[in-house]
Amino acid sequence: MLKSTLSILAGAGVLALAGFGIYAYHSPYAVEPPSARPAFDPAQVEQGRILAAAGYCATCHTAAGGAPYAGNFPVTTDFGTIYASNITPDPETGIGNWSKAAFRRAMHEGVDREGRHLFPAFPFDHFTKMTDADVDAVYAYLMTAVAPVKEATQAPTIPFPLNQRILQAGWKLLFVDFGRYTDDPTKSAEWNRGAYLVEGVTHCGACHTPRNKVGAEEKSARFAGATIDAWSAPALTAANPSAVPWTAADFTRYLSTGAGVYHGIAAGPMAPVVHAGLRELPASDLTAIGVYLGDVVGAPEADPAASPAVQASLAAGRPDPAWRADEGERLYATACAACHYNAESIVAERPELGINSSTRLDDPSNLIHVILDGVSSAEGTPGVVMPAFRDALSDQQIAAIAAYLRDKRADLAPWTDLETRVAQIRAHQGTH
């Protein structure tokens, strides 16, 4: 009896493995030399350029100091480092010999031309929602407007057995809902357009949704916020700690200009997303994204300028003629207040730090990053810069300013171990 049971279990195991092997296997696509590729419509190429920007493809597929789209940008994960692939039209080291069908499969299914499963550092779980026409437009742009670069992609440092690509088929089976975006008939056309862009090509959830122990987005915590490159990607839900709730118009303005009146600026990893990416979209698409995200966050109808938090922050920021006994307040008055002063109303170019997102997050990292390294002309509002205080203020002084803003201006529970966190971020940024 035992022998018979074991035989049945072994047979079932063999069948399961065979079934998984059939599911996981993808045959290679034939090589398509550039000479066999027809010319693309210029309008399609331009649409592809806009979509590639909105998906910030160049940001992840360009190494520091490297040629655009030539790959080898390091993506650090809990399992090792994955190097972004070369997606220039070089036929040897890039995708120059890929057919349109092969490119679609990579975008929609996470499988390359040779039939190998791609690691999910590439957000195919979002790109699967893109239409064939949009994917084809990106293909046309890469094959036509991007210069071919001969540069081999470095091997990932993921250890065995996690580096076996066939295992990614199991990961996909568990965590990916493949298929194109379908409209929600209960919502407006504008809402659906925004949802298509956010869930697909712009893949906002890839950074703003926490991941589980095997690197998949936690569907039950969609847009709940996450940590990216030692920065906090805030929640895009009602759990966002902003003193002034985000509205659809706030999202659209922020993504169009890189700055919001009541929330802060696009800095750190978010800067290229806005300035080298989403801003390329037409105004109607940015408005649609705002409508969708405004619905996700539960946008209120009230005028934010009348918010008690705004009024309290403005009052707290008015100059106090009395001697400032608190070190953080003194340092703020001398180093920060000249630019961050608002009187009766808030000016977008003068962030009101009492309600700024960076002072209200549970993690002080974003505020510390900006104090240390400032805001360059490529970040935030075009033409407006903030100086870096890395070489002007000590860890203790920056910690004192952050503590003052958190306590006296935001009126929130204090951050702990601030000075240690400043030192960590100073050292981390100094290595990049």
Side-chain angles (χ1 to χ4, degrees):
M1 181 65 180
L2 177 61
K3 183 176 180 181
S4 176
T5 301
L6 291 174
S7 296
I8 292 172
L9 291 174
V14 169
L15 287 174
L17 285 174
F20 178 75
I22 293 171
Y23 166 77
Y25 175 75
H26 292 269
S27 59
Y29 277 110
V31 168
E32 181 180 276
S35 58
R37 195 171 297 130
F40 296 103
D41 186 319
Q44 184 185 34
V45 174
E46 174 61 10
Q47 175 68 2
R49 182 193 69 80
I50 293 170
L51 290 167
Y56 25 103
C57 304
T59 301
C60 286
H61 285 275
T62 305
Y69 297 102
N72 282 321
F73 178 87
V75 180
T76 304
T77 74
D78 292 338
F79 314 102
T81 300
I82 298 170
Y83 294 91
S85 57
N86 180 342
I87 57 170
T88 73
D90 177 65
E92 294 182 27
T93 62
I95 60 171
N97 59 11
W98 285 33
S99 64
K100 181 170 63 177
F103 187 76
R104 276 190 192 177
R105 183 170 72 173
M107 294 285 282
H108 284 156
E109 301 176 40
V111 177
D112 71 6
R113 186 194 66 78
E114 297 176 33
R116 298 175 303 178
H117 289 275
L118 300 173
F119 290 113
F122 177 65
F124 54 78
D125 51 334
H126 289 273
F127 295 155
T128 187
K129 300 182 186 301
M130 294 175 64
T131 64
D132 289 350
D134 279 352
V135 171
D136 292 350
V138 175
Y139 175 79
Y141 166 69
L142 293 174
M143 293 301 183
T144 303
V146 173
V149 177
K150 193 178 300 298
E151 182 172 337
T153 303
Q154 297 182 55
T157 65
I158 297 174
F160 181 86
L162 298 178
N163 62 350
Q164 300 302 296
R165 291 180 180 268
I166 192 171
L167 296 181
Q168 300 309 311
W171 189 93
K172 293 174 181 177
L173 190 63
L174 290 171
F175 302 116
V176 181
D177 296 323
F178 287 110
R180 280 2 117 234
Y181 175 80
T182 54
D183 283 354
D184 182 340
T186 68
K187 301 292 187 179
S188 69
E190 190 172 47
W191 186 98
N192 276 296
R193 177 61 179 172
Y196 169 75
L197 293 166
V198 167
E199 304 292 348
V201 65
T202 68
H203 58 285
C204 303
C207 288
H208 287 272
T209 297
R211 296 180 179 270
N212 61 23
K213 294 186 182 298
V214 292
E217 292 177 29
E218 295 180 9
K219 295 179 182 178
S220 62
R222 183 166 156 270
F223 296 131
T227 299
I228 301 293
D229 295 336
W231 288 73
S232 289
L236 300 179
T237 66
N240 186 290
S242 173
V244 180
W246 285 81
T247 66
D250 288 333
F251 280 118
T252 297
R253 178 193 171 100
Y254 178 84
L255 297 175
S256 302
T257 67
V261 175
Y262 302 102
H263 303 97
I265 62 162
M270 192 64 192
V273 170
V274 171
H275 293 295
L278 294 175
R279 288 178 62 187
E280 294 294 322
L281 287 170
S284 59
D285 278 352
L286 291 169
T287 299
I289 290 174
V291 167
Y292 177 66
L293 290 177
D295 186 48
V296 171
V297 82
E301 297 296 332
D303 178 10
S307 164
V310 170
Q311 297 304 313
S313 186
L314 287 170
R318 294 188 180 106
D320 184 353
W323 172 253
R324 291 170 169 81
D326 179 83
E327 180 188 13
E329 190 171 3
R330 291 201 308 272
L331 287 166
Y332 177 84
T334 56
C336 314
C339 290
H340 286 279
Y341 172 65
N342 290 286
E344 301 302 325
S345 61
I346 298 175
V347 178
E349 291 74 19
R350 292 177 178 267
E352 181 65 21
L353 298 182
I355 60 170
N356 192 272
S357 295
S358 63
T359 61
R360 306 193 67 84
L361 292 168
D362 291 336
D363 181 353
S365 299
N366 292 9
L367 178 63
I368 294 169
H369 273 292
V370 172
I371 295 175
L372 278 170
D373 296 308
V375 177
S376 71
S377 59
E379 301 175 304
T381 303
V384 178
V385 299
M386 171 182 156
F389 290 92
R390 171 181 291 273
D391 298 324
L393 298 174
S394 67
D395 293 348
Q396 186 273 328
Q397 289 172 321
I398 292 175
I401 292 173
Y404 158 71
L405 289 171
R406 180 75 169 177
D407 177 28
K408 300 295 177 60
R409 299 296 297 280
D411 193 25
L412 292 172
W415 286 312
T416 59
D417 299 321
L418 268 174
E419 191 170 342
T420 299
R421 188 65 183 131
V422 175
Q424 291 171 340
I425 291 176
R426 186 192 293 271
H428 176 271
Q429 194 66 16
T431 64
H432 285 63

